[in-house]
Amino acid sequence: MEFPDVAKLNSYYGTPEKIAFREGPGGFPVIALANGSGACEVSLYGGHVLSYRPIGHVPVLFMSKSSLYEVGKPIRGGIPVCWPWFGAHPDNSALPMHGFARVSLWNLAGTDYTPRSTEVSLRLDHSDETLALWPHKFRLTLRVTLEQFLRVELTTRNMDEEAFVFSEALHSYFMVRQIVETTIRGLEGAEYADKTQANGRGVQDGPIVVGEEFDKIYVDTDAECVVEDAALGREITVSKEGSKSTVVWNPWIEKAQRMADFGDDEYKRMVCVETANAFDNKVTLEPGATHSMAVTIRAALKE
Ligand code: TA6
């Protein structure tokens, strides 16, 4: 995998105090966005939002201190792009978990800024490599907008002659001070498939407080979620567009110990609230059509 020259990217697109390119861990080219509201960074490898920090806040997104930065491996934290399938490939478990977008090198499609907003767009097109994994022609665009919130939009265009079906997630990892003092609201009454119970179905009874391995895909919901981090005194609001599924995940103790790219005690400081279209909510896209899914993340300190 050959990375573009960050010095050249800076000469073409760099804008003082707004847009800069650097070589990140693993040599991955990273785009740093900044403005009066905060800062975020996006890796061209994976089309992966690595960090988001509003002014006056500790980081909003969790990144494992044990994350790998190796071609072919996913980055553990931030907002992985799961596409064109969520979870294991339905027919061939040898294919990459959560699809190939998060282990592909994306191209820079453009940058933009206004006094209030700084934005970057990345693009992933079908190639011989992707067609070998998934026999459909596509264009995937990721648009990351930094304002007084962080908005991440994933747009799929069907560039083929036949319709195709895909599933997807913006697999957001949120940093919390203490998971057992964190409450996730918004999914009360939503139906879910529980991956810890062989995808057994249930209905969410009340707000979520994680106290064991937690891995539920909530379906047919467009609900806004709030991660209430009582220990830190912060609320993270996760609102979405074009998404009918929300996934909530914490590996807890045993799974954390089994994950080589995740610290044994890091489960205490994170929770995933993922903006998705998965399970019952897969998307069928006709030739030439597009489908967009977006998440908007806002952090607010509680008085
Ligand atoms: O979104 C939850 C989940 O599907 C969990 O089952 C767990 O596998 C997690 O994603 C992380 O998957 P990864 O392939 O990144 O280790």
Side-chain angles (χ1 to χ4, degrees):
M1 186 175 281
E2 192 176 326
F3 299 136
D5 177 349
V6 290
K8 269 201 190 135
L9 289 171
N10 266 320
S11 64
Y12 291 136
Y13 296 96
T15 312
E17 298 182 5
K18 289 194 182 290
I19 300 164
F21 295 80
R22 69 180 181 85
E23 193 172 291
F28 297 162
V30 170
I31 306 136
L33 303 183
N35 56 33
S37 299
C40 77
E41 290 199 327
V42 189
S43 163
L44 282 183
Y45 175 76
H48 197 123
V49 177
L50 300 172
S51 64
Y52 167 46
R53 186 170 187 174
I55 296 284
H57 281 260
V58 297
V60 170
L61 299 177
F62 166 87
M63 180 60 71
S64 172
K65 291 181 175 53
S66 306
S67 177
L68 301 175
Y69 296 92
E70 294 171 22
V71 169
K73 304 273 187 188
I75 297 168
R76 177 68 65 194
I79 307 179
V81 176
C82 303
W83 191 94
W85 60 84
F86 177 82
H89 187 280
D91 307 318
N92 179 355
S93 58
L95 294 179
M97 182 78 171
H98 288 319
F100 50 76
R102 68 175 182 167
V103 291
S104 296
L105 182 64
W106 292 54
N107 294 304
L108 182 69
T111 59
D112 194 8
Y113 61 89
T114 68
R116 289 166 44 91
S117 166
T118 310
E119 185 171 287
V120 64
S121 291
L122 306 182
R123 185 171 291 155
L124 181 67
D125 287 328
H126 64 271
S127 63
D128 293 344
E129 290 77 23
T130 68
L131 288 166
L133 296 172
W134 193 65
H136 304 290
K137 296 178 181 176
F138 66 88
R139 165 160 288 179
L140 202 52
T141 304
L142 187 85
R143 191 157 68 119
V144 180
T145 308
L146 175 69
E147 291 201 22
Q148 290 187 342
F149 49 79
L150 181 72
R151 186 174 187 274
V152 181
E153 180 183 69
L154 184 66
T155 299
T156 301
R157 177 183 292 278
N158 183 340
M159 307 291 278
D160 221 321
E161 285 79 42
E162 301 290 327
F164 58 62
V165 177
F166 67 97
S167 53
E168 59 184 348
L170 292 169
H171 193 298
S172 306
Y173 284 72
F174 294 104
M175 197 277 283
V176 296
R177 177 58 55 84
Q178 178 46 269
I179 186 63
V180 295
E181 296 180 44
T182 297
T183 305
I184 297 142
R185 300 183 186 283
L187 293 166
E188 296 84 345
E191 183 184 348
Y192 60 75
D194 186 344
K195 282 180 78 172
T196 68
Q197 304 298 323
N199 292 334
R201 296 283 173 146
V203 174
Q204 182 58 37
D205 176 19
I208 297 166
V209 178
V210 174
E212 57 187 346
E213 181 181 355
F214 195 102
D215 194 350
K216 292 188 166 91
I217 296 95
Y218 295 85
V219 295
D220 301 330
T221 173
D222 58 6
E224 175 178 279
C225 290
V226 179
V227 179
E228 289 180 2
D229 181 348
L232 185 63
R234 176 161 78 177
E235 283 188 354
I236 300 171
T237 301
V238 186
S239 49
K240 61 180 195 171
E241 304 151 69
S243 157
K244 292 184 179 170
S245 318
T246 296
V247 184
V248 177
W249 176 59
N250 182 289
W252 206 245
I253 299 168
E254 282 76 27
K255 187 157 189 180
Q257 289 168 347
R258 293 199 302 271
M259 292 161 64
D261 60 350
F262 190 85
D264 288 357
D265 67 351
E266 287 188 316
Y267 72 93
K268 296 174 183 169
R269 290 192 295 282
M270 56 68 69
V271 64
C272 287
V273 178
E274 307 159 34
T275 303
N277 287 299
F279 275 60
D280 310 5
N281 302 128
K282 293 183 183 64
V283 178
T284 299
L285 201 54
E286 295 301 320
T290 60
H291 177 279
S292 288
M293 173 176 77
V295 62
T296 298
I297 298 165
R298 288 179 171 82
L301 295 174
K302 299 309 292 171
E303 289 74 44

